[in-house]
Amino acid sequence: MNIDALARLCAQQAPRLVYITPDINNPTGAFLSEARRHALVALAREHDFWIVEDGVQYLPAEERGTPLYQLAPERTLYLFSTSKVMAGGLRVGTLRVPPILAERLGTLQRAQSWMVPPLMAEIVCRWIDSGAAERLLDWQLGEIAARQALAQRYLASYGARGRPHGFHLWLPLPPGIRAAALIQQLEQRQVRVTSAEPFCVGSEPAPRRSGSASAPRSTVMH
């Protein structure tokens, strides 16, 4: 996130909401530094906008920064899901909100989807109580770390970037190489990859190289 650019935007027209993945950007793996977290919170308070913190891409505690909902609990909405840490079919998520929004968002949720499927919620609760959830998480983190290490073993010389427990690997393209042509060649070899375009928002062009380690994805809503 470019804090200076956001500050200039706020000076022109303050947004109503900023959506951000501060711990692990999808797909670059970028991380928001502690200094930028505090700067973002200061801007949010100065210009009175909400922060939506996406914590769905789980990381171990030692790889995470200070949660924004702890730095600014009065204006941060925190998202989390069990589908990334237990099983993909468990579509159970949580939303941590300031007390002032709890009733309003609860009403909106009931109007849109009424409730979480009871069977999924029951499975999640039983797995947590029995310790199965922790065992699944430990296994998954170990598997992800092994795959990241394997990918780095073969792709490190190409500038590949990824977090030790991240789901994605970001591979910058050298000058003169177009993503579409590379993807087509890889598909012919039965290797499936995704270009940067699906992850872009608005009219922002897709990056050709990996971004700064302190510049995770953010979306500004007016």
Side-chain angles (χ1 to χ4, degrees):
M1 165 173 278
N2 190 323
I3 295 296
D4 293 334
L6 180 59
R8 290 193 296 270
L9 177 64
C10 289
Q12 299 172 3
Q13 181 182 4
R16 296 175 58 192
L17 178 149
V18 172
Y19 168 93
I20 186 167
T21 54
D23 285 327
I24 180 168
N25 171 250
N26 176 5
T28 66
F31 176 83
L32 192 68
S33 68
E34 290 295 310
R36 293 193 179 196
R37 290 171 193 250
H38 285 275
L40 173 61
V41 166
L43 278 175
R45 286 173 172 156
E46 179 181 358
H47 297 281
D48 194 25
F49 60 77
W50 297 101
I51 299 172
V52 175
E53 180 179 12
D54 187 337
V56 171
Q57 300 289 335
Y58 180 83
L59 287 177
E62 61 272 16
E63 295 181 34
R64 301 195 299 263
T66 304
L68 296 172
Y69 72 81
Q70 291 184 5
L71 297 177
E74 81 285 357
R75 63 182 60 254
T76 302
L77 293 77
Y78 180 79
L79 297 168
F80 183 75
S81 171
T82 60
S83 63
K84 296 292 185 182
V85 298
M86 292 187 191
L90 287 180
R91 300 295 179 174
V92 178
T94 60
L95 175 61
R96 186 186 191 280
V97 302
I100 193 174
L101 291 180
E103 183 176 352
R104 180 180 178 185
L105 289 178
T107 300
L108 290 173
Q109 190 273 334
R110 287 190 294 274
Q112 293 293 324
S113 60
W114 183 244
M115 64 184 298
V116 174
L119 179 59
M120 291 187 183
E122 182 66 19
I123 291 173
V124 170
C125 291
R126 291 197 180 194
W127 283 5
I128 292 174
D129 291 339
S130 68
E134 187 173 354
R135 292 192 295 271
L136 283 170
L137 180 57
D138 289 343
W139 174 86
Q140 180 171 262
L141 291 176
E143 181 67 20
I144 292 171
R147 296 187 186 192
Q148 282 284 352
L150 183 63
Q152 288 292 342
R153 174 183 171 187
Y154 289 99
L155 299 174
S157 61
Y158 296 97
R161 290 184 51 188
R163 303 291 291 280
H165 294 95
F167 288 170
H168 303 89
L169 193 75
W170 179 256
L171 187 65
L173 296 180
I177 302 296
R178 293 187 175 275
L182 178 61
I183 290 174
Q184 185 177 12
Q185 293 178 28
L186 290 174
E187 286 182 346
Q188 293 173 355
R189 296 172 179 264
Q190 298 185 345
V191 177
R192 302 297 298 272
V193 298
T194 302
S195 68
E197 281 80 2
F199 300 93
C200 295
V201 295
S203 58
E204 181 179 350
R208 291 180 57 81
R209 287 179 169 79
S210 57
S212 165
S214 59
R217 176 181 62 182
S218 61
T219 303
V220 177
M221 297 180 61
H222 292 282

